[in-house]
Amino acid sequence: MAYSSTVMEHFTHPRNVGKIDGADGVGEVGNAKCGDIMKMYLKIDGDVITDVKFNTFGCGAAIATSSMATELIKGKTVGEALTLTNKAVVEALDGLPAVKLHCSVLAEEAVKAAIADYYIKNGQEPPPETVTAGHDCDECDIHGH
Amino acid sequence: MLNVYADNAATTAVSQAALAAMLPCFTAGYGNPSSIHTPGQEAAAVLDSARERLGKLLNASPREIYFTGGGTEADNWAVYIAAAIGAKKNKRHFISTRFEHHAMLHTLEKLAKKGDAEVTLLEVHEDGLVRPGELAAAIREDTALVSVMYANNEIGTLQPIPQLGAICRERGVLFHTDAVQAVGHVPIDVKEQNIDLLSLSGHKFHGPKGVGALYCRSAVPVASFIEGGAQERGKRAGTENVPGIAGMVAALEDSCGHMVANSDKVSALRDRLIEALSQIPRGRLNGHREKRLPGIVNFCFEGIEGESLLLRLDMAGISASSGSACTSGSLDPSHVLLALGLPHEIAHGSLRLSLSEYNTPAEMDYVIETLPGIIQLLRDMSPVWERIEKGE
């Protein structure tokens, strides 16, 4: 198993690490039992994601996918961000080892969870695109063995 | 930036003694030990000498030494030998431990799946030690083999092998120990320590990779493991790895010849690390503080994940390892740390630093200076650490 130079670059110099006080949307996915937790913070102005920050507990791939996902949605509209797929994150990172693909799924889910929270905070029903399969430990086991 | 190799439990640098013993086997003495001609017989003499010297180092006779392709093969073979004996006596109960190497656990699982074994795994408790009383209670009439590792490869705890061996001897049960991490590092005497079978691996004590040995007490009938020629007394066919065997035995003579001095030096390095790393908040040393190998330090640091830590350490020139799931390609954290009763989320944040006599105090100081900053950096971006700090 080896990481691409892009993954290593994002792991070494992760973009948008941190928190946003008074964020318009916050999403957290994963669990510590599996070894990955991602927390995503969004600042949304009108319909545009003007700022995004993340905190991640996890492996190199978890940190790199979080970093790349924030880059891919920053400055985009909420609607555009909802079209982000884990595949797009993987491609932007020049690939991930097969056993690490679940990290990219988690990154996509973190973005969607933060957007769902934004809708809820505004008293609106989150759009169906924010609903994901969820990341449970059974899924980890399937990916891992 | 210093480069610090602190992964000696994974593998070691080949010693000068080993290299010097190997080189002539590639160039001048390249004959096949099974050949009748002079070069062949010269190679056979190298092999005989190696077998005799390895026997001496373990207090075994040369006839009790079988060279293998490494420690894993020796572990597999030991199970195979016990299963063959057991099958004749209708004994198919195997006892091992929860934190055994996968070379043992997976071999036992495979036997169990085929319906050829019933396996009991002993608890290793919070301190990473098997309790002799619990072994005595687990042995049954149909127990074919007890296998307990001499020293654990992840946390370094030394098991009470002589006592465990004595219990097995008294109850008439075969006793095997996977001594891959222990040979060359702590004194081993198969007779005094009541060992029937023992696995060792060359590259854990500055020998080459891909070569090991199985000791099997002369009273134990050895089932052949690889079919073909008459090598290893007809029990393990295939042209012998003469350079590897010569290098392994030279390395072990060197290690055993300097065991006290090496152990003192390495233990001092280890203790320096343990003392300093114990100062890091929310860290814990894994395994009994005293009953451990000279060279293995294993810590868990809450709020971070092991692979991230290893990658950052590597960038700082420090080669270490982790029981972290992510390094193994599996997503479960180390079965060793889980066997100690650690929760998954803590077991994910483990770090193993394993030392040899080639390490220096200055290297330890560099690790001690570097590690806390990396842990802090990862904790600063960890939502788990945020919760820990808030006391949630």
Side-chain angles (χ1 to χ4, degrees):
Chain A
M1 188 199 81
Y3 286 133
S4 71
S5 56
T6 314
V7 171
M8 281 310 293
E9 217 285 309
H10 274 263
F11 169 72
T12 316
H13 306 288
R15 281 50 150 188
N16 307 309
V17 175
K19 287 171 253 180
I20 297 173
D21 288 333
D24 298 305
V26 182
E28 183 178 310
V29 294
N31 68 60
K33 194 167 179 278
C34 287
D36 302 292
I37 295 185
M38 289 181 195
K39 196 168 182 181
M40 198 83 63
Y41 300 79
L42 302 177
K43 189 84 198 160
I44 296 170
D45 195 357
D47 191 31
V48 176
I49 298 170
T50 55
D51 199 10
V52 48
K53 297 273 186 215
F54 81 90
N55 264 1
T56 288
F57 162 88
C59 61
I63 291 170
T65 53
S66 309
S67 167
M68 182 55 86
T70 61
E71 285 243 289
L72 291 173
I73 63 165
K74 198 170 179 177
K76 299 279 168 63
T77 65
V78 170
E80 285 167 338
L82 277 174
T83 66
L84 178 79
T85 61
N86 78 300
K87 200 164 167 271
V89 175
V90 173
E91 278 168 11
L93 286 169
D94 297 327
L96 273 181
V99 293
K100 301 292 188 180
L101 288 174
H102 71 282
C103 292
S104 65
V105 174
L106 213 53
E108 175 193 326
E109 289 176 356
V111 170
K112 290 181 171 168
I115 292 173
D117 181 58
Y118 162 72
Y119 277 91
I120 291 164
K121 278 198 170 101
N122 285 292
Q124 290 173 279
E125 182 80 12
E129 297 95 304
T130 59
V131 180
T132 58
H135 184 86
D136 56 30
C137 286
D138 291 342
E139 193 181 343
C140 277
D141 287 343
I142 292 161
H143 284 297
H145 295 286
Chain B
M1 186 176 87
L2 268 178
N3 279 313
V4 181
Y5 184 77
D7 202 12
N8 288 278
T11 196
T12 55
V14 170
S15 65
Q16 286 304 318
L19 196 60
M22 290 173 81
L23 288 176
C25 304
F26 291 111
T27 51
Y30 53 80
N32 186 324
S34 298
S35 300
I36 194 101
H37 48 59
T38 303
Q41 289 312 297
E42 283 170 0
V46 170
L47 201 60
D48 288 346
S49 155
R51 198 183 307 278
E52 193 173 333
R53 284 148 54 219
L54 178 55
K56 265 189 196 140
L57 292 168
L58 300 172
N59 193 19
S61 89
R63 291 170 63 83
E64 296 172 313
I65 303 292
Y66 298 86
F67 291 115
T68 67
T72 293
E73 183 189 321
D75 280 350
N76 275 249
W77 194 0
V79 172
Y80 192 79
I81 288 168
I85 298 168
K88 286 183 190 154
K89 300 180 177 169
N90 211 17
K91 292 181 173 185
R92 36 173 75 189
H93 179 230
F94 288 74
I95 299 174
S96 192
T97 75
R98 282 187 62 197
F99 74 171
E100 215 66 18
H101 194 277
H102 286 131
M104 179 54 58
L105 290 178
H106 288 173
T107 307
L108 293 176
E109 269 168 34
K110 191 174 169 183
L111 268 191
K113 255 187 205 159
K114 285 200 301 186
D116 292 340
E118 194 188 321
V119 180
T120 300
L121 297 180
L122 299 172
E123 293 296 329
V124 294
H125 303 271
E126 203 187 348
D127 55 11
L129 295 171
V130 169
R131 306 294 191 261
E134 292 178 10
L135 170 63
I139 292 176
R140 311 190 314 208
E141 284 297 308
D142 63 339
T143 302
L145 178 74
V146 170
S147 178
V148 175
M149 65 201 322
Y150 208 109
N152 182 269
N153 53 309
E154 278 186 38
I155 59 171
T157 48
L158 284 163
Q159 304 307 312
I161 293 300
Q163 289 105 294
L164 302 178
I167 291 167
C168 292
R169 194 61 60 86
E170 194 193 314
R171 305 279 291 272
V173 178
L174 272 186
F175 179 58
H176 167 257
T177 185
D178 170 348
V180 163
Q181 294 291 342
V183 170
H185 302 282
V186 293
I188 292 179
D189 180 320
V190 291
K191 290 199 174 70
E192 218 172 74
Q193 299 175 358
N194 312 303
I195 298 166
D196 293 316
L197 298 120
L198 175 146
S199 305
L200 64 90
S201 175
H203 72 115
K204 306 295 190 183
F205 46 78
H206 304 293
K209 295 167 184 64
V211 59
L214 176 68
Y215 154 79
C216 188
R217 193 157 73 95
S218 57
V220 179
V222 176
S224 71
F225 195 53
I226 296 178
E227 310 310 324
Q231 293 88 354
E232 300 304 297
R233 304 177 63 217
K235 306 299 185 190
R236 200 271 188 193
T239 300
E240 303 86 345
N241 176 3
V242 180
I245 290 165
M248 170 172 76
V249 174
L252 189 57
E253 279 179 329
D254 192 35
S255 291
C256 291
H258 302 95
M259 191 180 282
V260 174
N262 287 347
S263 173
D264 287 352
K265 180 185 174 187
V266 177
S267 301
L269 298 175
R270 174 198 67 190
D271 293 344
R272 197 180 181 116
L273 275 184
I274 290 177
E275 198 183 316
L277 302 189
S278 298
Q279 308 301 314
I280 297 174
R282 295 271 181 171
R284 54 162 284 164
L285 176 71
N286 293 314
H288 194 279
R289 175 65 185 86
E290 311 297 334
K291 294 174 182 169
R292 59 194 305 125
L293 284 173
I296 294 188
V297 174
N298 187 306
F299 269 83
C300 279
F301 300 106
E302 287 182 44
I304 61 169
E305 193 281 328
E307 191 206 74
S308 296
L309 184 57
L310 293 189
L311 291 170
R312 287 268 171 194
L313 283 170
D314 186 45
M315 285 157 50
I318 299 167
S319 308
S321 87
S322 169
S324 140
C326 289
T327 54
S328 63
S330 144
L331 288 153
D332 286 326
S334 146
H335 72 288
V336 173
L337 299 179
L338 295 180
L340 302 184
L342 289 179
H344 277 67
E345 45 270 48
I346 291 179
H348 278 297
S350 67
L351 173 69
R352 180 185 72 182
L353 297 160
S354 49
L355 314 171
S356 85
E357 64 275 22
Y358 297 175
N359 289 113
T360 65
E363 290 177 352
M364 299 306 104
D365 290 344
Y366 178 66
V367 171
I368 291 163
E369 274 165 34
T370 309
L371 187 57
I374 292 176
I375 290 172
Q376 197 53 51
L377 185 144
L378 292 170
R379 280 178 170 173
D380 283 345
M381 67 164 88
S382 164
V384 175
W385 183 246
E386 186 187 357
R387 271 198 284 280
I388 291 169
E389 278 208 305
K390 283 183 186 162
E392 285 172 19

